């Protein structure tokens, strides 16, 4: 396999055209199973998150800061999964496991971009819950539409700049004969490990960004929830405590699922040199977490379930009227033609 790639780069090892993604398994009999499993999870992820966006956009009662952030999170989850899974499915279907150098850099760019966006949006949502529970009387004044738009815009700017920095540093790397990535995606850490040039700066920036954005945002979420717990404990009504906790339960579940798997990939890879465990953790935060988010939020949220029910009832009720109107127009046209 190495000899296959030796003609793809110059003698100095800087010009390459593609990498080889080894994926989960080399066994041909397992490829249909892997393809079917990931295709079904991808379709569920896209459909579930689209339903969340549809419910929020179609119901005026859900045009609030909390659901605005949730709609943005669902959109990011769709983009996050679409960055990697379609390419993986195409490779399995065509029985080609290569990805071009440009495609690898592009995939890393969007993978890091949407991962950091998830970090930022989950932190913003924790702040939103903190203000709603601890300062309910001033909630609409503090978390106003201008602040919501500004928080989302800042999240995008921070994520774009961070992702661009990682990719620019990756472009300066040179590679030798080993172009095999033991993963089903072009993951930044795996690509850096293949380089035969100095990777000290890349590693420093990668782990600094992981600590600053990942651990830093997680500490911000913990701080918000420590304040929320203090406020809930100070409530005299047990019904008020339950209502306050129920509004945070879905967000806490998503935070634990996403952060534990993401941090496990980057921090665990330094301690355990196992590509299989890294792939498994990557599947958890790239595929499983975005797939479960709609279920976590919709199953525990009466507002979203009611919005979806109302939308589909309206659609079902409007179809007979539309069909009758079309039939009437056809009858009118046929009547006028017969008269002429």
């Amino acid at each position: 396999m190495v000899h296959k790639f030796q003609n793809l780069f110059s003698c100095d090892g800087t010009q390459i055209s593609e990498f080889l993604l080894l994926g989960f398994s080399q066994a041909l009999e397992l490829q249909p199973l892997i393809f079917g499993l990931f295709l079904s999870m991808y379709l569920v992820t896209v459909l579930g998150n689209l339903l969340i966006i549809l419910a929020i956009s179609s119901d005026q009662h859900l045009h609030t800061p909390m659901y605005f952030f949730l709609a943005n999170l669902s959109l990011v989850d769709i983009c996050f999964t679409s960055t990697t899974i379609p390419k993986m499915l195409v490779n399995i279907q065509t029985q080609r496991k290569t990805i071009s150098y440009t495609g690898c850099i592009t995939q890393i760019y969007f993978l890091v971009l949407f991962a950091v966006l998830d970090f930022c949006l989950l932190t913003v949502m924790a702040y939103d819950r903190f203000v709603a529970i601890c300062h309910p009387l001033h909630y609409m004044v503090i978390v106003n539409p201008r602040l919501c738009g500004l928080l989302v815009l800042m999240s995008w700017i921070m994520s774009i700049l961070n992702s661009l920095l990682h990719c620019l540093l990756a472009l300066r790397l040179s590679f030798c004969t080993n172009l095999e990535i033991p993963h089903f995606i072009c993951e930044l850490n795996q690509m850096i490990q293949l380089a035969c040039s100095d990777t000290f700066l890349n590693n420093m920036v990668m782990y600094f960004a992981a600590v600053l954005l990942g651990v830093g945002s997680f500490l911000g979420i913990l701080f918000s929830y420590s304040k929320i717990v203090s406020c809930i404990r100070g409530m005299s009504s047990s019904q008020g405590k339950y209502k306050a906790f129920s509004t945070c339960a879905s967000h806490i579940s998503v935070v634990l699922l996403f952060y534990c798997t993401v941090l496990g990939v980057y921090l665990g890879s330094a301690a355990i040199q196992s590509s299989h465990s890294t792939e498994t953790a990557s599947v958890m935060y790239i595929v499983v977490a975005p797939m479960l988010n709609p279920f976590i939020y919709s199953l525990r949220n009466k507002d979203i379930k009611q919005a979806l029910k109302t939308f589909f009832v309206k659609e079902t009720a409007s179809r007979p009227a539309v069909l009758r109107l079309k039939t009437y127009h056809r009858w009118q046209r046929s009547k006028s033609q017969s008269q002429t």
Side-chain angles (χ1 to χ4, degrees), residues 127-330:
Y127 171 74
D128 172 72
R129 292 298 84 203
F130 158 71
V131 178
I133 294 173
C134 299
H135 305 282
L137 298 179
H138 302 91
Y139 175 69
M140 297 306 297
V141 176
I142 298 174
V143 190
N144 52 66
R146 183 175 179 275
L147 179 64
C148 293
L150 186 61
L151 288 174
V152 172
L153 179 62
M154 291 301 297
S155 298
W156 274 96
I157 293 175
M158 189 185 307
S159 303
I160 290 172
L161 293 178
N162 172 73
S163 186
L164 185 62
L165 175 61
H166 286 300
C167 289
L168 290 176
L169 290 175
L171 288 173
R172 56 182 285 274
L173 297 176
S174 59
F175 300 86
C176 298
T177 56
N178 183 18
L179 299 175
E180 296 180 350
I181 298 178
H183 213 302
F184 67 95
I185 59 173
C186 255
E187 199 263 336
L188 179 62
N189 189 36
Q190 298 286 344
M191 184 182 184
I192 291 175
Q193 291 179 8
L194 293 181
C196 56
S197 57
D198 183 30
T199 61
F200 176 78
L201 182 59
N202 297 77
N203 285 315
M204 286 295 296
V205 172
M206 182 179 65
Y207 287 110
F208 178 77
V211 171
L212 180 64
L213 299 174
V215 180
S217 59
F218 186 66
L219 291 177
I221 293 174
L222 288 180
F223 177 78
S224 296
Y225 275 104
S226 66
K227 295 294 185 181
I228 290 173
V229 171
S230 299
C231 291
I232 292 176
R233 290 179 61 184
M235 294 179 181
S236 56
S237 171
S238 58
Q239 185 178 0
K241 291 181 179 180
Y242 175 78
K243 184 178 180 180
F245 177 76
S246 62
T247 59
C248 301
S250 300
H251 183 254
I252 293 173
S253 303
V254 172
V255 166
L256 291 177
L257 180 63
F258 185 75
Y259 275 80
C260 290
T261 51
V262 171
L263 295 179
V265 170
Y266 289 98
L267 300 181
S269 61
I272 304 174
Q273 298 297 326
S274 174
S275 59
H276 181 71
S277 60
T278 302
E279 286 182 8
T280 304
S282 299
V283 170
M284 289 297 294
Y285 81 85
I286 293 174
V287 185
V288 177
M291 181 182 67
L292 293 181
N293 286 355
F295 294 100
I296 294 173
Y297 278 106
S298 61
L299 292 177
R300 297 187 56 88
N301 194 304
K302 295 180 181 179
D303 294 334
I304 290 182
K305 287 192 288 187
Q306 183 61 38
L308 287 173
K309 182 179 178 181
T310 303
F311 175 80
F312 286 114
V313 167
K314 286 182 179 179
E315 286 294 314
T316 305
S318 63
R319 283 179 184 176
V322 172
L323 290 175
R324 287 195 299 268
L325 186 61
K326 288 182 178 179
T327 304
Y328 174 77
H329 284 309
R330 284 198 214 100

Side-chain angles (χ1 to χ4, degrees), residues 24-191:
F24 285 99
S25 174
Q26 302 293 327
L28 293 177
E29 62 273 12
L30 293 179
Q31 300 307 309
L33 176 62
I34 296 174
F35 180 86
L37 178 63
F38 277 87
L39 177 61
S40 59
M41 288 194 295
Y42 177 67
L43 293 177
V44 170
T45 301
V46 174
L47 179 61
N49 284 285
L50 281 178
L51 285 176
I52 294 289
I53 297 173
L54 178 65
I56 294 172
S57 60
S58 63
D59 195 330
Q60 290 287 347
H61 297 93
L62 300 184
H63 293 178
T64 62
M66 181 178 73
Y67 292 109
F68 171 73
F69 295 133
L70 178 57
N72 278 273
L73 181 66
S74 295
L75 177 62
V76 169
D77 282 342
I78 292 174
C79 299
F80 189 32
T81 310
S82 301
T83 301
T84 56
I85 301 304
K87 174 59 179 175
M88 175 190 177
L89 295 176
V90 170
N91 282 0
I92 294 176
Q93 191 67 19
T94 59
Q95 296 185 354
R96 293 182 70 253
K97 296 191 175 184
T98 57
I99 183 170
S100 65
Y101 177 78
T102 304
C104 188
I105 294 293
T106 303
Q107 192 176 81
I108 288 174
Y109 175 82
F110 286 107
L111 189 64
V112 175
L113 169 66
F114 294 123
V116 174
L117 265 174
D118 265 338
F119 282 131
C120 296
L121 288 175
L122 289 173
T123 307
V124 168
M125 292 171 74
Y127 171 74
D128 172 72
R129 292 298 84 203
F130 158 71
V131 178
I133 294 173
C134 299
H135 305 282
L137 298 179
H138 302 91
Y139 175 69
M140 297 306 297
V141 176
I142 298 174
V143 190
N144 52 66
R146 183 175 179 275
L147 179 64
C148 293
L150 186 61
L151 288 174
V152 172
L153 179 62
M154 291 301 297
S155 298
W156 274 96
I157 293 175
M158 189 185 307
S159 303
I160 290 172
L161 293 178
N162 172 73
S163 186
L164 185 62
L165 175 61
H166 286 300
C167 289
L168 290 176
L169 290 175
L171 288 173
R172 56 182 285 274
L173 297 176
S174 59
F175 300 86
C176 298
T177 56
N178 183 18
L179 299 175
E180 296 180 350
I181 298 178
H183 213 302
F184 67 95
I185 59 173
C186 255
E187 199 263 336
L188 179 62
N189 189 36
Q190 298 286 344
M191 184 182 184

